[in-house]
Amino acid sequence: MPNPPETRTLYNAECPICNAEICHYAAYAEARALPLGFEDLNRVDLSDWGVNAEDAAKRLHVLHQGQLYVGFDAFLILWAQLPRYRFAARLGRLPGVYQMASWGYEKLAAPWLYNAHKRRQARQSTT
């Protein structure tokens, strides 16, 4: 039985933007045999993550070495595991850059993506 991955990413595969981005990271990791796991929040037991479906859909979640990271911090952890993206992780941690990027994710990107997700769900429930 193989060891579980050191770093697991929980994402919303029903979001076309999230799915495209995370599938890109997953393909990159798989091609390099990196110890990363990628889990669709719609297909896993969220109690393993300690999060409900609503909160899981609102932000990216990454479990790394037993610690849960959420939002922009989750991206930083994920990028640090991917050789091509390590520079982005280092850049994202710089003072000023971190605050701006974190604010942009929390106040702009994450709410916009979540609201688009809720609109897709509403459309699907009426069809």
Side-chain angles (χ1 to χ4, degrees):
M1 180 177 208
N3 290 333
E6 277 182 28
T7 305
R8 296 167 42 210
T9 300
L10 181 66
Y11 71 102
N12 185 1
E14 291 180 2
C15 168
I17 294 169
C18 304
N19 190 56
E21 182 172 6
I22 299 301
C23 284
H24 167 76
Y25 297 145
Y28 178 86
E30 185 177 338
R32 287 151 186 82
L34 300 174
L36 303 175
F38 299 89
E39 302 173 24
D40 175 7
L41 68 89
N42 304 290
R43 293 196 163 97
V44 298
D45 182 358
L46 293 175
S47 66
D48 291 345
W49 286 84
V51 65
N52 63 40
E54 200 75 9
D55 289 337
K58 288 181 179 180
R59 286 171 184 71
L60 184 72
H61 291 70
V62 170
L63 187 62
H64 177 67
Q65 298 178 340
Q67 184 169 347
L68 184 63
Y69 298 86
V70 179
F72 185 65
D73 290 324
F75 277 101
L76 293 175
I77 293 297
L78 177 58
W79 292 339
Q81 310 314 303
L82 302 165
R84 180 185 294 167
Y85 295 91
R86 286 186 182 140
F87 177 76
R90 286 192 303 272
L91 183 66
R93 287 187 176 97
L94 291 175
V97 174
Y98 174 83
Q99 287 80 0
M100 289 293 293
S102 184
W103 180 89
Y105 180 81
E106 291 296 323
K107 301 297 183 190
L108 303 173
W112 182 80
L113 289 167
Y114 178 70
N115 288 331
H117 168 67
K118 295 306 281 182
R119 286 191 301 274
R120 271 191 308 279
Q121 284 183 323
R123 280 194 307 271
Q124 290 171 350
S125 69
T126 61
T127 57

